[in-house]
Amino acid sequence: MTSNEKVSDKILQLSFRSHHNAYKNGDGSGAEIYNLSTQPTASWYKWSQILYGFLVFHYFLWFIPLFLAFWLPYWLGYPLISGILIGWYTVTYFKTDELGLGRHWELFRSNRLWKLLQHYIEFEIIREVPLDPTRKYIFAHHPHGILILTRIASYGGVFEKLFPGVEVRVLGATPMFNLPGCREVCLWLGGVRADKFVGVNLLRTKNPNLSLYVFPGGSDEIFETEKESKETVIISRKGFIRLALEEGADIVPSFGFGEKDAYHKLTIPKFITNFCLKNFKMPIIIFWGKFLTLLPLQGERGLSVVYGQPIRIDKPVAHPSDELVNEIYTKYYDEIRNLFEKYKTKYGYDESEKLIIKEARLKTKSAQNVSA
């Protein structure tokens, strides 16, 4: 969709599967439906999905190609080239793009290879209303899940189809920008560090189309992801609410269904996970997917993402009161609950499935973290 095309005000559904669809042609909803489920049935395509998935999800191994790029010239007898490459990379590593505008690489983010995983995971994405690209937004998504698989639903040009003219930076955990290889891929996909000053600076840039994408539950929600549970647990926070009020950014609630089906998880005592998260800012978790790797399991109901009605913030409030923050906080989590109740049975959840909203217990430094 180009910037000159008229944006439909209907519900928009993009589906990479032919089952568990929220809307169907002729159901009276008036939804604009794009069926993207058609894919090659040949074995080479299935193996391509598995191979690409293995490369994407084992992000802690992404340093290996870098190491080989540095070591190979040395092994071939060209140590000077190795030295130049190492020096060049060192400069880019310490450039701290994650604290600024990032290092967004649109060609990488919109590459059609992402369709391999979108078909493998069997995504469906719903946009309930279009957005005005001249306004600022904070997209706030629950639940985090173990590896935030829902973020893959926005790649390959999908986000641009849903919200033409809106550009986002995704706020991520600090450790993701410390590991070579992983750091570069996160930056190319539009990632920046989840510090409050980073979010403030991005929303104040001269680019009128630049918005934020945050995961308010953060790493805490990883430990609430239970595959067999009939409860979906999310962690509520107010930091992003306060940021939205201070910067006059509308809040777009987003909810993911099926995230908890993707992995098996070994139960670790709470006091150990809480200690590691509080002191090292790293979740300690043992989990596995297909073939005992990090390749997600393929659930019967797929994985779905729904973008709900934005919560309008009419103008910036320099020092929002606690009462105002609580008011918007309530509106946001009411909308999250509405999305859950509206779509849960459409996406294969039992009618008895419950959404549990817990207030964050482990406090991060609110002056530094967007979600705190």
Side-chain angles (χ1 to χ4, degrees):
M1 178 179 290
T2 67
S3 59
N4 293 325
E5 290 183 73
K6 183 179 179 180
V7 180
S8 171
D9 59 358
K10 298 179 180 179
I11 294 173
L12 180 61
Q13 174 178 291
L14 308 180
S15 189
F16 291 87
R17 62 176 185 254
S18 57
H19 59 88
H20 290 94
N21 304 124
Y23 301 101
K24 297 180 180 180
N25 290 318
D27 62 5
S29 65
E32 186 176 349
I33 298 172
Y34 290 84
N35 181 3
L36 307 173
S37 62
T38 303
Q39 58 178 307
T41 57
S43 60
W44 66 264
Y45 191 78
K46 300 298 183 184
W47 283 107
S48 297
Q49 291 176 319
I50 291 172
L51 177 60
Y52 191 58
F54 184 88
L55 293 174
V56 168
F57 295 114
H58 293 79
Y59 55 85
F60 55 88
L61 299 177
W62 292 343
F63 73 92
I64 294 177
L66 273 177
F67 172 79
L68 292 176
F70 299 151
W71 172 78
L72 189 59
Y74 180 84
W75 182 73
L76 292 174
Y78 301 99
L80 180 60
I81 294 179
S82 288
I84 292 173
L85 290 175
I86 292 171
W88 169 79
Y89 179 75
T90 301
V91 171
T92 64
Y93 183 88
F94 290 103
K95 195 177 178 182
T96 64
D97 288 325
E98 70 274 18
L99 300 180
L101 294 176
R103 200 185 300 167
H104 181 77
W105 184 10
E106 183 57 33
L107 183 61
F108 181 66
R109 192 176 185 278
S110 61
N111 195 288
R112 292 181 60 84
L113 281 175
W114 293 109
K115 296 291 188 293
L116 289 170
L117 293 185
Q118 289 164 341
H119 279 134
Y120 174 84
I121 296 173
E122 295 189 308
F123 277 112
E124 179 163 284
I125 309 99
I126 300 288
R127 184 211 68 193
E128 291 206 323
V129 296
L131 299 180
D132 178 356
T134 65
R135 293 188 61 79
K136 299 283 189 177
Y137 300 95
I138 295 180
F139 293 82
H141 181 88
H142 287 285
H144 182 287
I146 292 178
L147 286 184
I148 325 181
L149 299 178
T150 48
R151 58 189 164 176
I152 294 171
S154 65
Y155 302 154
V158 170
F159 189 85
E160 290 73 19
K161 176 73 173 178
L162 296 168
F163 305 110
V166 178
E167 184 180 348
V168 291
R169 294 292 181 269
V170 182
L171 274 61
T174 299
M176 301 298 292
F177 301 99
N178 293 337
L179 183 63
C182 176
R183 165 188 172 78
E184 280 66 45
V185 174
C186 288
L187 287 169
W188 293 340
L189 289 173
V192 292
R193 220 167 76 178
D195 293 283
K196 182 175 181 180
F197 77 90
V198 175
V200 169
N201 290 338
L202 285 168
L203 290 174
R204 293 180 181 178
T205 61
K206 294 180 180 180
N207 183 349
N209 307 113
L210 193 58
S211 295
L212 301 182
Y213 205 120
V214 304
F215 300 90
S219 298
D220 289 354
E221 277 184 0
I222 292 176
F223 305 109
E224 304 292 351
T225 305
E226 299 292 344
K227 182 174 173 58
E228 305 301 331
S229 175
K230 293 298 182 182
E231 295 180 342
T232 297
V233 181
I234 64 175
I235 306 297
S236 66
R237 288 188 168 91
K238 298 179 180 178
F240 73 100
I241 302 288
R242 190 175 295 275
L243 175 63
L245 286 167
E246 291 172 348
E247 303 303 321
D250 296 346
I251 303 172
V252 181
S254 172
F255 198 89
F257 295 85
E259 187 89 46
K260 65 182 180 181
D261 299 333
Y263 295 104
H264 299 291
K265 188 181 75 169
L266 183 67
T267 302
I268 300 175
K270 281 278 188 181
F271 76 91
I272 295 178
T273 57
N274 287 346
F275 176 83
C276 293
L277 189 61
K278 182 177 181 180
N279 292 279
F280 305 115
K281 309 302 182 207
M282 281 289 289
I284 301 300
I285 184 172
I286 299 174
F287 66 98
W288 63 95
K290 200 167 188 176
F291 310 130
L292 297 179
T293 70
L294 302 191
L295 188 69
L297 301 168
Q298 291 176 289
E300 294 182 359
R301 52 194 177 189
L303 205 155
S304 309
V305 184
V306 182
Y307 295 95
Q309 299 272 348
I311 298 167
R312 178 88 174 196
I313 307 296
D314 291 318
K315 59 182 180 181
V317 181
H319 303 287
S321 65
D322 290 342
E323 290 77 11
L324 181 57
V325 171
N326 289 335
E327 177 187 338
I328 303 301
Y329 168 90
T330 300
K331 286 183 179 180
Y332 168 77
Y333 282 103
D334 281 348
E335 181 61 19
I336 286 292
R337 188 177 295 280
N338 289 339
L339 292 177
F340 179 80
E341 294 297 335
K342 180 178 179 179
Y343 288 95
K344 66 179 182 181
T345 56
K346 295 177 184 290
Y347 290 138
Y349 286 39
D350 292 340
E351 183 65 46
S352 60
E353 184 105 7
K354 295 181 179 180
L355 177 66
I356 308 298
I357 302 176
K358 293 183 179 180
E359 289 193 16
R361 291 175 296 173
L362 293 176
K363 301 296 183 182
T364 52
K365 297 179 181 178
S366 60
Q368 297 181 0
N369 191 277
V370 167
S371 297

